[in-house]
Amino acid sequence: MTTKSIAFKPANESVLDAFTGGPLAGEFVRCTKCQCCYGAESVAALNEHNQGLCMGCNGPLPGIEKATTQY
């Protein structure tokens, strides 16, 4: 399996939570398969209501990596 480097953009109104549609700030997670981003509350909701699957690709949450925005 090959890995590639991912360049993260600072969270602002152009980085939106895939579950809520709201802007993200601070720490969030990004799906390594489809690049959807989620805040902590969205990840908790996905675990509870969507069997822990990504909204974009239906991949499991272990396919998600943590990111931190830098200002």
Side-chain angles (χ1 to χ4, degrees), residues 15-61:
V15 179
L16 302 176
D17 187 298
F19 185 73
T20 67
L24 291 167
E27 289 189 347
F28 62 94
V29 292
R30 183 186 307 249
C31 176
T32 57
K33 184 175 178 184
C34 73
Q35 307 304 308
C36 281
C37 300
Y38 301 99
E41 291 180 6
S42 293
V43 171
L46 290 173
N47 282 328
E48 185 177 342
H49 301 289
N50 198 38
Q51 300 174 343
L53 300 176
C54 174
M55 297 274 299
C57 67
N58 283 328
L61 288 181

